[in-house]
Amino acid sequence: MTGKAREDGGGPFRPGPTPVWIGAGLLVGALLWLVTMSVVRGGLLEASGGSLWWTAVPLAALILRGGMRWRRRHLYPPSAPVYLAWMSLACLLALYLVWSAFPEGLFSGTTPEGRAVLARPDDAHVWLVVCAVALGCLLMLAGGRRFEPRPARRFLPMVGVGAVAVVLVGVSLARFVVPWVPHRVAGDLGEPEAIPATVSGVGWEWRPPQGQEIRAVEVWDHGPLVLLSDGVTALDGASGDERWSYLRPNDPVDDVWTRDGRVHVRHLVGETEDGEDLRATDVLDPADGRVVEVRDDLAPPPRDGSYGEWDLEILGEISDLPEGCTVTGVVNHGPLIVGTVGCPDEDGELFENAVGANDPFGWEGTGVDARLVAVDREEEIELWSREWSVPPGEEGPRQKTVPEPGEGHVVVLERGPEGRTLVLDAETGEDLVVLPEEHAYSADLRGVVAADANGAVIARETGELETTFHRIDPSGEVTGTAVVEGVYLHDITIGGSSIAVLEDALAFVGARDHVGESGYTLVAPFGETVGWESPTMMFSEGRAASEAIAVPGALVAVARDGGSERLEGWTP
């Protein structure tokens, strides 16, 4: 009887066939789940770590084939050491695959510091498959030898337990942990923070999920709105916490943009019978991240401040310019195109030369009638225009894009009528902010830093390595002045993204060295003079930031260095 008990694996030191059968079920479940996800996905799973994990498929088949006594007359005896040896090697290989296929972004504790937690569904399901193979192998090894799949009334339920366990974990993973479209809607957000009056240091840092890039950072009610290559994430300005997010890491995303108070994510959804790509645009409410509609007729608009050759043609066609006039430059403002136009004087000495040139301004002996024209590309109508004369030999007007902290679009025109700098409402062409007379024509005016309906900030060169910034209201009255001295703002373009306007100060970000390996943030409160040695000059390690955006609760500095992108939240 003792010998028979050992033969059947029922001795006191043998766990019996149950773990072996459950292990076989895990292997079967792993293969079934792999096939299921490939069918649902419409293609084979692809892990970001490479294709080594595919070794788990033939390994699972080999363990199933050699780990059970499918025939009574088997090549090896039931408890042969050879079985334990090769099964141990198989388990070691499976455990290595578990380690190599581990998705870092699946858990907050394993995600690199500062980076958002997000694992690709493919990576998570691949890891589930290799984990099931490894656990199944270990259970079959624990049995100590091969067992026959008999009797069926005991064998099949145990195999079913293992297979069903894999499927249940996979379904839970797909439903709750790594959904195909990770979408989190905001809860109760409370009252939004105000734009900080000033900042004193880095309060938080945030990095996008692995494999995603920052397209742009905009402002929403409670902080920065981060437009990513795969979707959008809204952060809390005061804490840096994610308030809502909508990501499509598994679908090709064409573009992400904001317009008319909505966030748009355009992505691929399939193909037509003719093999053409089908795309849809998900429209989100930026207040909480809810999808309010899905449309297939929305294409990405031109970026604000950008332009292309076709925009020159569109403006010329819609505005019906007289013969001989040339569009010298355009800037996109949402659906509007605002362009500068030059029409040379027909009686000028070099009229033919001016007409044939891309820029009719600056020719001696030939005056030019200048125009600033705005058209609506969607309605195909001209909205407004302003005209003035430019004397012979003088440079023509030039538009400049500047940050627009408030709502609406702003046109900044340098070298306008009589050489003035104008700040206009893009929709009406009316003066939005009137620059003070002593500065509007001044040769030391470096430009407009930012402007909206509440006023503007302008910069003047007032000395060697000294720049004076004036905050003015819409009527042109100076309401605050900040002076930066001893700092060469070589990498900061006036009106560019390196300067942000806080409630009571200006903030500058730039590189501390010529290679940009470390950066600085300089805060210049209105009413003060600051410089390199000021306490408001703060340095930071890591790649220097290139953009600064004032948002509710923080000053957000954006640093880009290839695949290493981050946001720094500077707080009071």
Side-chain angles (χ1 to χ4, degrees):
M1 291 181 64
T2 304
K4 185 174 182 181
R6 289 177 183 155
E7 176 80 11
D8 295 338
F13 302 107
R14 298 290 186 186
T18 299
V20 176
W21 291 342
I22 294 177
L26 292 174
L27 297 171
V28 171
L31 297 177
L32 287 175
W33 188 247
L34 178 61
V35 172
T36 300
M37 288 306 301
S38 297
V39 171
V40 171
R41 186 184 183 280
L44 297 176
L45 295 178
E46 297 178 359
S48 57
S51 57
L52 180 63
W53 71 273
W54 276 105
T55 309
V57 176
L59 181 63
L62 177 64
I63 295 172
L64 281 173
R65 174 66 182 85
M68 300 285 296
R69 294 185 65 192
W70 298 100
R71 294 178 298 173
R72 290 186 181 276
R73 307 188 70 152
H74 208 275
L75 181 61
Y76 301 109
S79 58
V82 176
Y83 167 80
L84 297 176
W86 79 261
M87 187 64 76
S88 298
L89 292 175
C91 290
L92 288 175
L93 176 58
L95 291 173
Y96 173 76
L97 294 177
V98 169
W99 175 79
S100 64
F102 177 73
E104 285 186 341
L106 189 58
F107 307 106
S108 58
T110 60
T111 303
E113 184 178 357
R115 189 173 295 280
V117 180
L118 178 68
R120 295 177 61 249
D122 277 19
D123 289 343
H125 291 292
V126 162
W127 195 56
L128 171 62
V129 169
V130 296
C131 283
V133 171
L135 182 57
C137 182
L138 291 172
L139 287 175
M140 296 187 74
L141 175 64
R145 65 179 182 86
R146 296 180 181 85
F147 285 90
E148 296 180 4
R150 299 178 184 84
R153 67 178 183 276
R154 293 177 56 199
F155 167 72
L156 292 179
M158 293 299 101
V159 170
V161 167
V164 169
V166 176
V167 172
L168 288 177
V169 173
V171 170
S172 300
L173 200 63
R175 178 66 180 86
F176 302 108
V177 183
V178 284
W180 192 260
V181 181
H183 186 196
R184 187 172 71 176
V185 177
D188 183 16
L189 297 172
E191 292 297 322
E193 298 279 345
I195 299 291
T198 186
V199 294
S200 60
V202 178
W204 53 265
E205 184 176 295
W206 183 88
R207 294 178 185 270
Q210 191 74 30
Q212 295 194 23
E213 298 179 357
I214 298 175
R215 293 178 185 256
V217 178
E218 301 190 9
V219 182
W220 74 298
D221 293 343
H222 293 266
L225 187 67
V226 189
L227 308 185
L228 301 167
S229 56
D230 291 337
V232 58
T233 296
L235 305 179
D236 183 271
S239 65
D241 296 335
E242 294 187 13
R243 292 305 187 186
W244 63 262
S245 63
Y246 183 77
L247 305 173
R248 304 193 71 96
N250 308 289
D251 300 320
V253 174
D254 292 344
D255 205 352
V256 183
W257 71 95
T258 59
R259 184 171 174 182
D260 299 331
R262 295 287 191 235
V263 182
H264 303 78
V265 180
R266 185 165 179 80
H267 56 92
L268 186 70
V269 294
E271 293 184 351
T272 64
E273 295 180 354
D274 299 330
E276 297 181 358
D277 291 340
L278 282 175
R279 288 176 169 81
T281 300
D282 299 335
V283 183
L284 288 76
D285 184 347
D288 54 14
R290 289 181 301 106
V291 176
V292 294
E293 64 175 327
V294 178
R295 298 178 57 176
D296 57 8
D297 59 343
L298 283 179
R303 293 286 183 190
D304 287 346
S306 65
Y307 69 91
E309 293 296 329
W310 55 90
D311 296 315
L312 300 174
E313 298 177 4
I314 292 174
L315 184 136
E317 293 173 359
I318 296 177
S319 59
D320 193 22
L321 298 176
E323 185 176 355
C325 294
T326 302
V327 180
T328 59
V330 296
V331 174
N332 284 294
H333 298 279
L336 309 184
I337 304 175
V338 180
T340 50
V341 179
C343 302
D345 184 358
E346 295 183 5
D347 298 329
E349 298 176 5
L350 300 176
F351 170 72
E352 296 296 334
N353 297 32
V355 170
N358 291 329
D359 188 352
F361 297 97
W363 293 87
E364 294 293 342
T366 302
V368 182
D369 290 331
R371 296 185 183 184
L372 184 66
V373 183
V375 301
D376 188 316
R377 67 166 65 240
E378 296 177 351
E379 301 293 334
E380 297 185 352
I381 58 174
E382 180 178 316
L383 300 177
W384 55 266
S385 67
R386 298 180 70 151
E387 300 181 12
W388 68 97
S389 296
V390 176
E394 292 193 5
E395 292 183 294
R398 179 183 65 180
Q399 288 190 81
K400 191 168 186 179
T401 58
V402 300
E404 303 163 352
E407 298 181 356
H409 295 287
V410 178
V411 175
V412 174
L413 183 72
E414 298 179 340
R415 301 195 295 263
E418 301 179 352
R420 285 183 61 95
T421 296
L422 303 180
V423 179
L424 310 175
D425 186 325
E427 295 186 356
T428 65
E430 298 178 354
D431 288 291
L432 195 64
V433 179
V434 179
L435 270 61
E437 290 292 327
E438 64 271 24
H439 303 320
Y441 302 95
S442 176
D444 60 20
L445 179 65
R446 291 190 61 184
V448 178
V449 174
D452 59 19
N454 297 317
V457 175
I458 61 174
R460 296 172 52 236
E461 198 73 40
T462 52
E464 185 178 358
L465 290 183
E466 180 180 284
T467 306
T468 299
F469 297 86
H470 298 294
R471 181 172 60 185
I472 58 178
D473 64 16
S475 66
E477 181 181 352
V478 176
T479 59
T481 298
V483 180
V484 177
E485 61 179 13
V487 179
Y488 180 40
L489 305 178
H490 65 285
D491 57 346
I492 296 179
T493 302
I494 300 299
S497 58
S498 300
I499 308 177
V501 181
L502 302 175
E503 191 66 26
D504 294 328
L506 296 174
F508 308 80
V509 296
R512 187 179 179 183
D513 51 53
H514 68 283
V515 294
E517 291 300 329
S518 62
Y520 71 83
T521 298
L522 172 62
V523 178
F526 290 112
E528 297 185 19
T529 297
V530 298
W532 198 258
E533 302 298 330
S534 300
T536 57
M537 172 68 84
M538 296 163 282
F539 302 105
S540 58
E541 297 300 325
R543 195 66 181 175
S546 58
E547 297 177 43
I549 304 101
V551 303
L555 167 73
V556 175
V558 186
R560 291 185 172 90
D561 183 18
S564 178
E565 299 179 308
R566 74 180 189 279
L567 301 185
E568 291 179 346
W570 291 73
T571 55

